[in-house]
Amino acid sequence: MALVSLEGVGKTFRGKGGSWEAVRDFSLGLEEGEFCCLLGTSGCGKTTVLNMLAGFEPVTAGRILLDGQPVAGPGADRGVVFQGHDSLYDWLNALDNIAFGLRLAGMGKRARREKAGHFLRLVGLAGQEGKHPAELSGGMKQRIQIARALAADPRMLLMDEPFGALDAMTRAALQGELSRIWAETRKTVLFITHDIEEAVALATRIGVMTRGPGGTLKAVVPVDLPFPRERTSDAFMAVFRQVHALIHAEIHPQ
Amino acid sequence: MRDRVATLGGFAVGFALLFVAWHLAAVYLVHSVLFPPPSPVFWRALDLMDDGILQEQVVASLRRIMQGFLLGSAAGIPLGLAIGSFRPVRVLLEPWTEFFRFIPAVAMITVAVIWFGIGEESKVFLIAYTTIFVIIISTAAGVGAVAKDKLRAAQCLGANRWQLFTLVALPATLPFILTGMRLAMANSFVTIVAAELVASNDGLGKMLWDARLFMQVEDIFVALVTLGLLGFATDRAFRLAIRAFAGRFNPTM
Ligand SMILES: Nc1ncnc2c1ncn2[C@@H]1O[C@H](COP(=O)(O)OP(=O)(O)OP(=O)(O)O)[C@@H](O)[C@H]1O
Ligand SMILES: [Mg+2]
């Protein structure tokens, strides 16, 4: 049985200006341990899908099952890495931000700092534990978000364009690290992006969405390439072209 | 360290310029016994301090401010948190805050004296009154301004409602609370002088009033300068305290 299954999920926002269908009839299963990228143009409903799976917002059609149980709200089994930096706690230093979930679980100060230190080093921030978010670069903040989510030991990670606002070099470096961390921890990952190369570099499967409104899953492309991936290899380029063709049709419809 | 020296140096020069301007205005512009230059005021202040009179007035005023301010804060912060967190509480209490907010403490002096007499209670009541609404409003605004992702992140790290409140909403609101307290402190100075002018046996406001009665112009100016310096020092102390214990909460302080 799949770890997660989204079955005919839909989301319609209702507000003063009428209703807006953001996601329509979205179905996808996620297997334990896989790295699935969700790719789509801006506004197609990627964040909306993630918010429903995280339990932040209810579905308005279909259902989402986690281990066979319907998702009722947010929980520690699904770690989230957010699109911006707003989610970090400005008043805590890097180490205590990472340890936050452990603190919530009632772990003692020494034990949780020790464990958080492990994840701090895992994301390559050794020596930065005493800095506060205001003193960290954008890339460092995303590393902290990733470490904070991992430290709470969730069943799966939901990541919403975590590297979207970074420069190309930092992004490539973080992609490499995320790939290594995933290989080490074997967490199930749902990773949202609108960068085709990023998706092909990271994913074991790529879900391509149609453009909004009413975005839905258009195709799922398996990526059977060994890690670490050689971005200039023919096999990589072949997958890139295949996905590009799918996305291109959404940006320039006939 | 060098920054601090530069800041202190800047303040010293700024104050010196203020006194020079005062001196020039009094000696060359106004020529009146009703507007003395700084030097006689300074000597008069030393005389008053020799007798301990000035200190007495300062202590009397500051004690009232501290008592009322702490009382107002202790009531205002939880109320502001409740108003910001729970819609029904807001709907219920907003008419109260929006009603009393527009009745200034100065207008309440009359009833305060009728209810509590001219002793300490009326002053403490007035300071608490002027403090509480500013703090309620800034605290409630702070609760509303907590970034949604901060709460969501905590929820998917397993936070329960109590943890969401104490470990996320409260610390995220602290800069707003402290800013509200700073504003309320400024209001307290205005209110205490007005209250002591009208009904009091001591304090800087009473000193101002008596000096006017007996035409002791230097005494009036001693009281005014003391108020200015006290206010300035209090605000600096507040900012330093905020930076020392909560600077991390608010990088802009
Ligand atoms: N709370 C809301 N109320 C009304 N409409 C919303 C709401 N949230 C999202 N939408 C709409 O739903 C659509 C999908 O939004 P969503 O944030 O999921 O896009 P996205 O694919 O994540 O885009 P991006 O790549 O730019 O982050 C958009 O048209 C957006 O305006
Ligand atoms: Mg998005």
Side-chain angles (χ1 to χ4, degrees):
Chain A
M1 189 180 64
L3 173 65
V4 174
S5 57
L6 297 104
E7 300 173 355
V9 170
K11 179 76 184 179
T12 303
F13 292 104
R14 285 174 218 287
K16 289 189 197 89
S19 65
W20 177 269
E21 188 178 32
V23 176
R24 178 192 307 160
D25 196 22
F26 186 104
S27 296
L28 175 70
L30 293 175
E31 298 300 328
E32 188 105 48
E34 80 164 306
F35 196 123
C36 181
C37 275
L38 199 56
L39 194 68
T41 55
S42 182
C44 75
K46 303 183 294 296
T47 298
T48 306
V49 169
L50 182 136
N51 281 345
M52 290 187 288
L53 177 49
F56 299 144
E57 287 179 22
V59 301
T60 52
R63 59 179 190 163
I64 302 177
L65 301 179
L66 181 75
D67 267 336
Q69 298 298 315
V71 165
D77 49 355
R78 285 148 290 151
V80 176
V81 175
F82 294 84
Q83 201 165 355
H85 305 311
D86 266 0
S87 76
L88 289 178
Y89 302 117
D90 312 299
W91 55 90
L92 299 178
N93 66 25
L95 192 67
D96 289 333
N97 261 288
I98 297 173
F100 195 76
L102 306 171
R103 178 176 179 188
L104 295 176
M107 192 185 273
K109 203 171 208 162
R110 288 244 329 245
R112 70 176 186 247
R113 288 209 165 140
E114 196 170 311
K115 189 163 175 203
H118 164 76
F119 286 96
L120 185 95
R121 289 185 291 279
L122 185 71
V123 296
L125 285 181
Q128 313 286 341
E129 40 272 84
K131 288 193 179 164
H132 286 73
E135 302 162 329
L136 295 166
S137 71
M140 290 169 162
K141 286 187 216 176
Q142 290 311 74
R143 288 169 202 253
I144 295 198
Q145 276 211 65
I146 294 170
R148 178 177 68 176
L150 283 172
D153 198 23
R155 292 287 301 275
M156 63 181 310
L157 272 185
L158 308 176
M159 310 179 78
D160 192 356
E161 302 194 34
F163 310 144
L166 304 177
D167 64 90
M169 275 184 291
T170 312
R171 196 183 317 157
L174 277 170
Q175 287 164 359
E177 282 178 33
L178 180 62
S179 228
R180 175 179 57 78
I181 291 168
W182 171 73
E184 273 176 39
T185 60
R186 283 290 157 178
K187 294 275 180 222
T188 311
V189 179
L190 180 68
F191 186 103
I192 287 176
T193 179
H194 52 226
D195 179 346
I196 303 173
E197 186 182 327
E198 181 167 73
V200 181
L202 295 173
T204 54
R205 270 196 319 157
I206 300 174
V208 181
M209 287 182 73
T210 62
R211 71 204 167 100
T216 186
L217 202 58
K218 180 184 187 180
V220 176
V221 179
V223 190
D224 289 321
L225 302 174
F227 292 94
R229 286 178 177 164
E230 189 53 63
R231 295 181 192 219
T232 50
S233 70
D234 290 342
F236 191 98
M237 293 306 275
V239 179
F240 184 95
R241 260 186 238 111
Q242 185 187 354
V243 176
H244 185 270
L246 287 165
I247 283 283
H248 193 74
E250 294 306 316
I251 305 171
H252 305 283
Q254 259 72 52
Chain B
M1 192 60 219
R2 268 186 58 187
D3 273 6
R4 179 158 293 179
V5 173
T7 311
L8 286 178
F11 285 157
V13 174
F15 273 117
L17 282 175
L18 180 68
F19 283 97
V20 169
W22 173 9
H23 179 79
L24 293 178
V27 175
Y28 298 103
L29 234 54
V30 182
H31 306 292
S32 162
V33 285
L34 298 180
F35 186 27
S39 49
V41 173
F42 179 74
W43 296 121
R44 178 67 185 146
L46 283 188
D47 279 350
L48 286 171
M49 289 205 305
D50 265 350
D51 304 336
I53 295 171
L54 184 57
Q55 290 94 314
E56 251 171 56
Q57 314 311 320
V58 168
V59 168
S61 294
L62 281 187
R63 196 182 51 232
R64 289 164 188 153
I65 287 180
M66 282 328 287
Q67 286 172 348
F69 180 74
L70 290 179
L71 201 67
S73 304
I77 293 169
L79 280 171
L81 289 172
I83 288 174
S85 307
F86 307 107
R87 231 191 106 72
V89 181
R90 185 172 86 226
V91 177
L92 217 66
L93 289 188
E94 218 157 51
W96 289 62
T97 56
E98 295 301 303
F99 177 82
F100 285 112
R101 189 154 81 91
F102 292 100
I103 307 176
V106 179
M108 296 293 284
I109 292 176
T110 345
V111 275
V113 172
I114 294 174
W115 289 344
F116 301 110
I118 66 162
E120 294 306 293
E121 290 88 346
S122 57
K123 261 66 103 203
V124 174
F125 165 80
L126 286 167
I127 302 293
Y129 177 89
T130 198
T131 299
I132 191 167
F133 297 108
V134 179
I135 290 187
I136 286 180
I137 285 160
S138 58
T139 304
V143 175
V146 179
K148 201 198 260 174
D149 281 352
K150 281 192 173 43
L151 296 165
R152 286 181 164 182
Q155 282 181 306
C156 53
L157 292 167
N160 56 35
R161 287 185 68 103
W162 175 244
Q163 289 173 320
L164 273 183
F165 176 71
T166 54
L167 298 179
V168 183
L170 197 57
T173 307
L174 199 60
F176 287 81
I177 298 178
L178 293 171
T179 304
M181 287 172 84
R182 249 183 95 198
L183 294 174
M185 183 53 92
N187 285 2
S188 299
F189 269 78
V190 176
T191 305
I192 196 64
V193 173
E196 288 172 351
L197 272 177
V198 176
S200 184
N201 294 324
D202 53 4
L204 286 167
K206 166 76 168 161
M207 183 175 160
L208 273 171
W209 189 251
D210 286 351
R212 191 209 69 103
L213 223 57
F214 305 116
M215 276 307 277
Q216 294 159 323
V217 183
E218 275 89 17
D219 282 27
I220 295 182
F221 277 78
V222 169
L224 292 178
V225 172
T226 307
L227 272 173
L229 289 175
L230 274 182
F232 182 82
T234 313
D235 195 61
R236 294 309 299 179
F238 220 91
R239 285 177 63 163
L240 284 178
I242 290 174
R243 214 179 299 171
F245 109 98
R248 294 298 178 195
F249 292 71
N250 187 3
T252 63
M253 285 300 283

